[in-house]
Amino acid sequence: MAKPNVISKNELIESAKECLVTNGIEKFTLKAVAEIAGVTQGTVYYHFRTKEQLLIDITKDICDNSWNEISRTNENLLRMALESSKSRCSSTSYYHKLFLTLITSSFTNERIREQMGDILHKENQALSSNLSKIWSENPVEGVSPDTWGIILNSLIDGIAIQALLVKEFPIEKTYSELEQLLLRLTNLSIQEGNQ
């Protein structure tokens, strides 16, 4: 039996995530979300006018939750951020499939492009802000924290693309070596700050 129309947008987003896990992005529909949430399809349409809008809101929710969790700690910030992004590169994770599907849709849909651009901008800022916590000094003169955020965000998304497409992609090795690279940059930053 369907619940009355007193379900929150956040509860629907959680049901939509469950729907993605259960059905995959290929079989994701607003009707399937309504069934999992136990509400009418009209209730889902009330909160999300289109499937794309619901998918964008899921993406925003995942990003916001991830950055909020990472930003709450000062210890092992780098490791937590890398573990979070690595966990989204597995073949069972729907996040990057969803993210890349929306990016592709944004090439022909201005509304999706604006919203995905906002998500990327927010991620770049979160990376810049968190790197500023880790690096007392900029490890490479002439490269701003904002540019570091953009570079690292692009690097993480590029690794995700390869992990999704290359059958035997070395996720563990790649992330381990990426962590070593970032730790070296951190050590350079500390050495610069001590001089």
Side-chain angles (χ1 to χ4, degrees), residues 22-40:
T22 304
N23 300 334
I25 197 165
E26 298 80 19
K27 296 179 183 176
F28 181 85
T29 64
L30 295 181
K31 181 180 179 182
V33 172
E35 288 172 4
I36 286 176
V39 298
T40 65

Side-chain angles (χ1 to χ4, degrees), residues 17 23 55 130:
K17 288 179 192 176
N23 300 334
L55 292 171
N130 284 299

Side-chain angles (χ1 to χ4, degrees), residues 9 30 47-57 60 102-103 105-119:
K9 190 173 184 176
L30 295 181
H47 289 284
F48 309 97
R49 298 284 181 225
T50 65
K51 172 180 160 178
E52 289 77 18
Q53 186 58 55
L54 177 52
L55 292 171
I56 288 168
D57 285 358
K60 285 179 185 175
L102 290 168
I103 292 293
S105 296
S106 76
F107 297 145
T108 57
N109 185 317
E110 184 62 33
R111 192 175 56 78
I112 294 173
R113 181 181 303 135
E114 285 177 20
Q115 293 182 64
M116 292 306 293
D118 289 344
I119 290 171

Side-chain angles (χ1 to χ4, degrees), residues 78-142:
L78 180 62
R79 183 164 283 129
M80 278 186 68
L82 289 173
E83 283 299 321
S84 176
S85 65
K86 181 173 73 172
S87 72
R88 292 184 251 155
C89 284
S90 72
S91 60
T92 57
S93 172
Y94 61 85
Y95 174 78
H96 274 102
K97 292 176 190 174
L98 168 61
F99 182 79
L100 295 169
T101 297
L102 290 168
I103 292 293
T104 303
S105 296
S106 76
F107 297 145
T108 57
N109 185 317
E110 184 62 33
R111 192 175 56 78
I112 294 173
R113 181 181 303 135
E114 285 177 20
Q115 293 182 64
M116 292 306 293
D118 289 344
I119 290 171
L120 284 169
H121 180 70
K122 192 172 183 180
E123 282 193 326
N124 292 342
Q125 288 181 320
L127 273 164
S128 297
S129 173
N130 284 299
L131 286 171
S132 294
K133 291 179 189 177
I134 296 170
W135 294 342
S136 57
E137 295 285 327
N138 197 334
V140 178
E141 189 176 328

